[in-house]
Amino acid sequence: MKAYVIQNGTYQLVDMPEQLPKGRQVLIHLKTAGLNHRDLKIKDRVGNKADPYILGSDGAGVIEKIGDEASRFELGEEVIINPSLNWYDNTAAPPEDFEIVGVPFNGTFAEKILISEDFVERKPTHLSREEAGVFALSALTGYRALFTQGKIKEGETLFIPGVGGGVTSFIIQMAKAIGARVITTSRNYDKLKQAEELGYDRGIVTDEDWKIALADEQVDLVIESIGGATFNRSLEVLKKGGRIVTFGSSTNDEFTFNLRAFFYGQYKLIGSTMGSREELHELIPFIEKHNIKPLLDTGYPLDNIEKAFSHLESQKQVGKIYIHI
């Protein structure tokens, strides 16, 4: 089978042997897969190891073969991959053996994937294959950040910088579904206009002075994923006693903030990452009920996946980039 791997420090499209499912494993013939920023950073993690590691954390496909102890699915069923491995219950933090699909375990940028049936779910009924293939990692990350950690409520105001990313797009739609007010930002005004279909209430350009622009707003919750470039600016617009959830850092991981101003403001800082299988089981009926779908940007064939990586690196996308397999 064809697979996109990192091997000896380089990305390569190679032929890999197909494996047969054993025990509770299932073999899935993948149809689509989604790119995430995680895929851009795997090279630094793997280094120059000689073993090939298949990239990709999101995918959708069809059950092709079933292990002799697997019982959750039938041949031919359409399914999605749960990229959150070994995290079953909604605990305060992931367990010690938590991993994400796609390095060190084989990922979804391949024609097929062998995986435990525990980390497979039926495709949400309202999603196309393309939408289903980019769904799980972003939506699950957003669900935990917004509901489990952020505890958003109807009538509250959410500020989330960086419209256009996969997680951000889901968070905006989910927050609107429960009746929250949503404010977002983009470096590009045209990108704000393109993302209006997500239903946010107010968009401002990144270069504006956020504190002045939002002086008439009371922000109850900030969800941050940009990191050092925006964290202090986000904190400035949060109301006293408000919550700030961070689930990523696309800029600097390390920066300084005024600790005295923070504790005088009685702010609450909460970390979040991915989510549990229990939360995914809550998420799927939620998005089906509210007809929430990922915003799609561009699709590429597996043979041309390098262009997909370049497009993701450019940060010009609005929505998810996906691979046809």
Side-chain angles (χ1 to χ4, degrees), residues 32 34 36 47 54 70 82 214 237 242 266 301:
T32 55
N36 295 285
I54 301 176
N82 173 6
L214 302 181
V237 304
Q266 304 281 303

Side-chain angles (χ1 to χ4, degrees), residues 56-75:
S57 301
D58 269 325
V62 175
I63 299 287
E64 185 172 282
K65 295 178 182 178
I66 298 173
D68 56 5
E69 297 176 17
S71 60
R72 292 184 63 215
F73 301 98
E74 301 290 336
L75 294 176

Side-chain angles (χ1 to χ4, degrees), residues 104-131:
F105 300 96
N106 283 341
T108 57
F109 296 161
E111 292 177 315
K112 300 181 183 183
I113 185 171
L114 187 68
I115 189 169
S116 168
E117 66 174 356
D118 286 357
F119 308 113
V120 180
E121 301 296 337
R122 288 174 178 82
K123 182 179 80 67
T125 54
H126 69 302
L127 298 184
S128 68
R129 279 185 173 174
E130 290 77 16
E131 291 165 341

Side-chain angles (χ1 to χ4, degrees), residues 158-302:
L158 166 69
F159 178 66
I160 179 163
V163 73
V167 182
T168 304
S169 297
F170 274 114
I171 288 174
I172 290 172
Q173 293 181 83
M174 289 188 289
K176 290 304 300 175
I178 60 97
R181 177 173 171 79
V182 179
I183 305 168
T184 190
T185 74
S186 175
R187 291 179 294 180
N188 187 299
Y189 179 75
D190 291 337
K191 202 169 182 178
L192 281 174
K193 294 294 292 181
Q194 284 179 271
E196 281 182 347
E197 65 184 275
L198 296 172
Y200 65 81
D201 296 282
R202 185 172 179 182
I204 59 175
V205 177
T206 303
D207 288 343
E208 290 185 61
D209 186 316
W210 295 354
K211 193 172 182 180
I212 293 174
L214 302 181
D216 59 339
E217 301 279 358
Q218 178 169 281
V219 175
D220 302 283
L221 172 65
V222 170
I223 297 184
E224 254 286 345
S225 64
I226 299 173
T230 58
F231 184 90
N232 281 309
R233 299 178 67 195
S234 292
L235 191 58
E236 281 186 332
V237 304
L238 183 62
K239 75 173 188 180
K240 298 289 173 57
R243 295 124 36 217
I244 182 166
V245 174
T246 175
F247 69 84
S249 179
S250 58
T251 58
N252 301 328
D253 287 352
E254 297 183 9
F255 55 92
T256 61
F257 67 93
N258 188 316
L259 186 59
R260 188 170 299 277
F262 188 88
F263 64 70
Y264 271 129
Q266 304 281 303
Y267 301 112
K268 301 170 185 69
L269 176 60
I270 307 154
S272 190
T273 187
M274 286 291 291
S276 63
R277 184 187 181 195
E278 181 181 346
E279 288 162 300
L280 182 60
H281 287 174
E282 297 169 359
L283 166 65
I284 290 173
F286 181 87
I287 66 151
E288 288 177 330
K289 175 182 177 181
H290 296 285
N291 196 34
I292 293 172
K293 299 181 179 183
L295 191 62
L296 295 179
D297 187 274
T298 309
Y300 298 85
L302 184 61

